[in-house]
Amino acid sequence: MSAEPAKLELPSSLVARAVALALEEDLGQAGDVTTNAVIPAHASAEAEIVARKPGVIAGLDLAAASFKALDADVQFVADVADGAKVAVGSRIARVQGNTRALLSAERTALNFLGHLSGIATLTAAYVAAINGTKAKIACTRKTTPGLRALEKYAVRAGGGSNHRFGLYDAVLVKDNHIAAGGGLAEALTRLRTTTGHLVKVEVEVDTLDQLDEALHFPIDAVLLDNMDVAALKQAVALVNGRVVTEASGGVTLETVRKIAETGVDLISVGALTHSAPVLDLALEWG
C-alpha cells in the first residue's frame, strides 16, 4: 500500500514575513485612503475567489494570511488545496469578515495567489508534456528576488521538482567558473579540498569532450547545457547511469518531450518562474 503524498505547506514564518512586506508596500503609512473613506469601520461582507481561467492553484496560505493580517477574525475557507486543478468559474475560496480588511487585502491576496498559481499551471503543462518518460521537470534560480522560496513552492504544487535554492546548498560549477578558475580539471581539483562530503556537486558542460573530462572526477551530476537532441542522447549513453543527467537551455513546451525522450533524468526550465503568466483570479462580492 503506497503512502499518501505529503501535504503541500509553506512555513508559517515565511508566509507571515512575505505578507507583512507586501501589505506594507501597498498600505504605506496612510493605509487604504479610498476604502477608509468609503466604507464604515464596522461593516462586514462576504466574497468569493473565483477562477477566470483554468489552472493549478498555489498560494492559498498567502491569500488567507493577507486577509487575516488586517482582520484576525476573517473566515477564509478554501474549496480546494494547493496543487488542485480548477476550471473556469470554479470557486477557490470563500472569505467573510470586516469589509475594509477584505478590500484592502484583496490585491495582495490575489497577487500572491495569481502569481504562484500561474507558476504551478505552467509547471503542470511541462510535467504533462513529458508524461511517460523518466525525466522530471525542475526549476532554476531565475526567480523574483525575495520570492524564491514561494516560487519554488509553486513549482512543487504544479508537480515539478526543485533545483538548488541558492549558492549555499549545492555546488554547480558553471562555464564561467571553469573559465575563471583555470579550466575544468583545475576547478574540480580545488573544489574537493574545501567542499564538505555531504555537498552535492554538479558540473555544467556543453560538449561531449567536456563531459568525458568531468566524469573522471567525483561528481554527482552533469548539466548538459544547450545540447541538441542528438548530443543529449550521446551524453546519456556516455554517462551510462554513473551520475544524474540534467538538460538545460532554451527548453520550451514544444521541445521538452523530445528532450525527455533522450533519457535524461532532469530538465531544468527557467521559464517556470521567470515567464509564467499570472492565473486570472478574481474576488467577487456576494
Side-chain angles (χ1 to χ4, degrees):
M1 185 175 178
S2 60
E4 288 285 326
K7 180 177 180 287
L8 285 162
E9 288 183 296
L10 280 165
S12 58
S13 59
L14 180 64
V15 170
R17 184 166 66 249
V19 166
L21 289 170
L23 287 172
E24 180 182 3
E25 179 180 61
D26 215 17
L27 297 174
Q29 297 183 7
D32 183 347
V33 294
T34 307
T35 295
N36 292 346
V38 173
I39 306 299
H42 299 295
S44 61
E46 295 183 19
E48 297 179 346
I49 299 176
V50 177
R52 289 177 171 168
K53 293 285 181 68
V56 178
I57 297 301
L60 285 165
D61 286 349
L62 289 150
S66 298
F67 293 113
K68 289 179 180 291
L70 300 185
D71 174 13
D73 295 325
V74 160
Q75 298 298 307
F76 184 96
V77 181
D79 289 272
V80 298
D82 281 353
K85 294 181 179 180
V86 298
V88 175
S90 296
R91 186 177 68 188
I92 310 304
R94 292 168 288 143
V95 193
Q96 180 179 12
N98 180 270
T99 307
R100 285 186 176 183
L102 300 190
L103 287 169
S104 296
E106 173 184 356
R107 180 42 49 201
T108 295
L110 293 179
N111 280 351
F112 277 126
L113 194 57
H115 177 54
L116 298 190
S117 296
I119 291 171
T121 299
L122 183 59
T123 301
Y126 273 89
V127 170
I130 65 167
N131 183 47
T133 71
K134 74 168 187 174
K136 293 181 179 180
I137 297 296
C139 53
T140 71
R141 286 170 47 244
K142 296 177 181 177
T143 55
T144 308
L147 298 182
R148 179 172 296 169
L150 305 182
E151 292 176 347
K152 283 180 172 286
Y153 167 84
V155 168
R156 298 198 302 276
S161 299
N162 288 157
H163 210 286
R164 60 179 179 162
F165 270 69
L167 299 175
Y168 57 87
D169 61 336
V171 168
L172 176 48
V173 181
K174 295 177 69 67
D175 54 354
N176 284 341
H177 293 114
I178 294 169
L184 179 59
E186 180 68 17
L188 291 179
T189 299
R190 288 180 184 176
L191 190 65
R192 281 306 185 188
T193 65
T194 58
T195 306
H197 68 288
L198 294 180
V199 178
K200 295 287 188 180
V201 174
E202 182 172 23
V203 180
E204 178 182 285
V205 298
D206 53 23
T207 69
L208 294 175
D209 286 342
Q210 273 191 323
L211 173 59
D212 184 56
E213 184 180 8
L215 290 172
H216 286 83
F217 293 86
I219 62 175
D220 302 289
V222 286
L223 190 157
L224 308 169
D225 187 45
N226 283 298
M227 289 187 179
D228 61 26
V229 167
L232 286 172
K233 288 180 179 178
Q234 293 179 68
V236 169
L238 182 59
V239 169
N240 193 27
R242 286 178 284 173
V243 299
V244 172
T245 54
E246 173 188 350
S248 183
V251 181
T252 68
L253 279 170
E254 291 68 38
T255 62
V256 70
R257 179 80 192 184
K258 290 187 180 299
I259 292 171
E261 288 173 346
T262 65
V264 294
D265 299 302
L266 292 168
I267 304 171
S268 54
V269 185
L272 300 181
T273 50
H274 70 58
S275 296
V278 169
L279 183 64
D280 192 3
L281 305 169
L283 187 69
E284 297 183 350
W285 293 86

